[in-house]
């Protein structure tokens, strides 16, 4: 069974502070993704990666950095958290590129509240 | 701009009733199409996907979806819902080798 875990599951951060969200997959997948979900909106792609030590920008990368130190781990970093970054963040992995019909496997999400 | 629309934010049906959740997309070609489900406190899970062939595709747990190109739609259906089907359902569309774009989701509540 494919497994993607995220930590923390929820976090309260202060405006201007640094936040790191972590994702770990045991699927042996090459592709990993970070999405954010806002109430009433679909998931939007922030960053993705297809190999360790390399990351790519998604549709909404501003204010976020990503890090892929190994095939299994993919982090999302908010250097200066802002109120507008309050959202639920999902990590996902896939064996092949998700744009080629490959199934994405999602983690349970991290609820981030920035005050 | 390409988009995915799920017009119903919430749907409530009685157990045993039939179900249709709507999804429309704006793209002139034939995209890859997905339906995912999110149960409470869990990540999204794939229900079914489509790219070509029979426009009616079968998924897990009795779900199916029909691709209607002329209508740019990919509605999800189930003949008889169970209380355990209560969840949030997401339609997603991928085209031109881009990562999938997701609709806002439809929250399904099944009344006993």
């Amino acid at each position: 069974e494919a497994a993607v875990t995220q930590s923390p599951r929820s976090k309260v951060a202060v405006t201007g502070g640094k936040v790191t969200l972590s994702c770990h997959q045991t699927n042996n997948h090459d592709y990993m993704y970070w999405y954010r979900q806002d109430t009433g909106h679909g998931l939007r792609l922030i960053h993705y990666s297809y190999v360790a030590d390399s990351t790519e920008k998604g549709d909404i990368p501003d204010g976020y950095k990503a890090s892929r130190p190994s095939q299994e781990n993919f982090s999302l970093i908010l250097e200066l958290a802002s109120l507008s970054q309050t959202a639920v963040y999902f990590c996902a992995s896939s064996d092949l590129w998700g744009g080629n019909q490959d199934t994405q496997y999602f983690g349970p999400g991290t609820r981030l509240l920035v005050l | 701009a390409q988009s995915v629309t799920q017009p119903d934010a919430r749907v409530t049906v009685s157990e045993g009733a039939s179900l249709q959740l709507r999804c429309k997309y704006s793209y002139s070609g034939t995209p890859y199409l997905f339906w995912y489900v999110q149960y409470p406190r869990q990540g999204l899970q794939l229900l079914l996907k489509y790219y070509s062939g029979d426009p009616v595709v079968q998924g897990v747990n009795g779900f199916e979806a029909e691709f209607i190109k002329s209508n740019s739609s990919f509605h999800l259906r189930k003949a008889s819902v169970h209380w355990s089907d209560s969840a949030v359902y997401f339609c997603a569309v991928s085209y031109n080798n881009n990562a999938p774009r997701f609709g806002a989701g439809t929250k399904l509540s099944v009344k006993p």
Side-chain angles (χ1 to χ4, degrees), chain B residues 32-60:
Chain B
Y32 295 107
L33 298 160
F34 308 80
W35 274 99
Y36 283 85
V37 61
Q38 183 184 24
Y39 297 105
R41 295 173 296 282
Q42 296 184 29
L44 283 69
Q45 304 171 35
L46 182 72
L47 273 179
L48 48 81
K49 58 185 179 183
Y50 173 82
Y51 176 66
S52 63
D54 188 335
V56 179
V57 59
Q58 304 297 319
V60 298

Side-chain angles (χ1 to χ4, degrees), chain B:
Chain B
Q2 288 81 5
S3 64
V4 183
T5 302
Q6 295 181 247
D8 305 308
R10 295 175 180 268
V11 170
T12 300
V13 297
S14 298
E15 192 166 26
S18 62
L19 171 71
Q20 177 173 279
L21 302 181
R22 296 182 292 166
C23 173
K24 295 199 71 172
Y25 61 90
S26 62
Y27 175 62
S28 58
T30 300
Y32 295 107
L33 298 160
F34 308 80
W35 274 99
Y36 283 85
V37 61
Q38 183 184 24
Y39 297 105
R41 295 173 296 282
Q42 296 184 29
L44 283 69
Q45 304 171 35
L46 182 72
L47 273 179
L48 48 81
K49 58 185 179 183
Y50 173 82
Y51 176 66
S52 63
D54 188 335
V56 179
V57 59
Q58 304 297 319
V60 298
N61 297 333
F63 286 94
E64 67 175 28
E66 183 173 9
F67 168 60
I68 303 179
K69 185 173 183 177
S70 61
N71 197 35
S72 298
S73 68
F74 190 56
H75 302 332
L76 183 70
R77 303 188 299 232
K78 187 171 184 178
S80 177
V81 297
H82 186 264
W83 64 267
S84 60
D85 293 325
S86 296
V88 181
Y89 292 79
F90 292 93
C91 179
V93 176
S94 173
Y95 49 86
N96 288 344
N97 206 35
N98 292 315
R101 281 171 167 76
F102 288 78
T106 297
K107 184 174 183 178
L108 173 65
S109 298
V110 180
K111 298 186 300 183

Side-chain angles (χ1 to χ4, degrees), chain A residues 52-78:
Chain A
D53 296 322
S54 178
T55 64
E56 304 292 333
K57 294 180 179 180
D59 296 329
I60 54 165
D62 293 345
Y64 302 93
K65 293 173 62 176
S67 173
R68 181 93 181 267
S70 64
Q71 186 192 41
E72 298 80 16
N73 296 294
F74 191 36
S75 297
L76 186 68
I77 303 152
L78 290 65

